[in-house]
Amino acid sequence: MTARAIPWVGLPGYLWRLPFAFGFTMGTVQHESFDWRVSMPYVLTLSTVSECLALLCVGLVRGWGEVLPHRLPLIGGRRIPPLAAVVPAALCGLVLTWLLVGWVLAVFGLGTNLQYTGTGWQVLGESCQGVMVLWGPMLLAVTYAYWVRRRR
């Protein structure tokens, strides 16, 4: 259940970020001019890659996270060594936890944070982005469960 919740944890943040690709500032104070040629590919790629990585976390609880699908040429049907999944997942979980702890500290004024034009925008932005704080610890929990299950 936790692995299936990970893509949903990031979704509000991804959706909140998408208007930035089209020059809408979502109530943030912008110190630079908008250039859609840079912003659009960056934001769309970041959101898409993030959601794909979140969906990949589901592999830690599904069969395709233990055995490669048979439809893959040459390598299909082979067992995935547990460490091949555990090491990257654990490293990503630790990095996400570390990055998002910094975000939480910034929300409470202990670091740099976005500046907003109003309280409503700030509540919306921090609510959408704040849910992503759960991604790192959830990934670590799912990775640990995967490791315990696979080492038997």
Side-chain angles (χ1 to χ4, degrees), residues 122-141:
Q122 183 173 3
V123 168
L124 177 65
E126 291 179 359
S127 298
C128 289
Q129 297 290 357
V131 180
M132 290 181 68
V133 172
L134 300 173
W135 187 0
M138 290 171 73
L139 179 56
L140 289 172

Side-chain angles (χ1 to χ4, degrees), residues 59-60 62-68 78-80 146 149-150:
L60 294 170
R62 302 288 302 187
W64 53 269
E66 296 179 14
V67 178
L68 292 168
R78 293 187 181 172
R79 290 185 54 81
I80 298 172
Y146 177 87
R149 187 179 72 250
R150 289 293 309 272

Side-chain angles (χ1 to χ4, degrees), residues 11-33:
L11 191 60
Y14 311 144
L15 294 176
W16 181 79
R17 198 177 334 170
L18 285 178
F20 285 96
F22 303 100
F24 189 64
T25 62
M26 298 295 286
T28 60
V29 176
Q30 299 290 319
H31 299 291
E32 302 168 6
S33 63

Side-chain angles (χ1 to χ4, degrees), residues 68-88:
L68 292 168
H70 290 286
R71 65 180 173 269
L72 295 175
L74 302 175
I75 59 172
R78 293 187 181 172
R79 290 185 54 81
I80 298 172
L83 288 178
V86 169
V87 171

